[in-house]
Amino acid sequence: MMQIGLTHYLVLATILFSIGLIGVMKRKNLLMLFFSTEILLNAVNVGFAAISHYYNDLTGQMFAFFIIAIAASEVAVGLGLLIIWHKRSGNINLDTMSSMRG
């Protein structure tokens, strides 16, 4: 029977990070940009937790909890700004946000 080791978790974290990075670079919708950022942060959490478990040290898991708290606050602030922007402009497209209006 095959045992799941550190390499498997790190490959999973790399794949998730790649998916999130592609999402951040390709998406034009602000909500999807938030989702891609969450995938990026969770990929880092998987890596930290796997390495922490491998070395029997809790430091990586503590960093993972810290990243979860940062991600939750990022989503709360971001969604609040997104709702305000949607009420003002009627869309959440990043192209319309980047244009300057006088």
Side-chain angles (χ1 to χ4, degrees):
M1 184 170 160
M2 188 175 146
Q3 188 175 13
I4 297 176
L6 178 64
T7 307
H8 296 97
Y9 287 113
L10 293 180
V11 167
L12 174 68
T14 304
I15 292 170
L16 285 175
F17 192 85
S18 300
I19 291 170
L21 190 63
I22 290 171
V24 166
M25 291 189 304
K26 293 287 183 180
R27 293 293 179 175
K28 298 291 182 185
N29 187 332
L30 190 59
L31 191 59
M32 293 298 145
L33 189 68
F34 285 146
F35 290 152
S36 298
T37 306
E38 291 298 318
I39 292 172
L40 278 174
L41 293 174
N42 283 324
V44 172
N45 284 340
V46 168
F48 276 148
I51 291 173
S52 171
H53 180 71
Y54 182 75
Y55 286 113
N56 287 329
D57 186 17
L58 291 178
T59 307
Q61 294 174 17
M62 289 174 30
F63 273 113
F65 283 124
F66 181 71
I67 290 173
I68 290 170
I70 295 294
S73 62
E74 174 251 334
V75 167
V77 170
L79 286 179
L81 292 172
L82 180 72
I83 289 171
I84 290 172
W85 182 261
H86 188 266
K87 283 181 179 178
R88 290 183 70 193
S89 67
N91 64 10
I92 52 174
N93 192 354
L94 284 177
D95 291 333
T96 59
M97 289 182 189
S98 63
S99 63
M100 296 180 68
R101 285 183 264 168

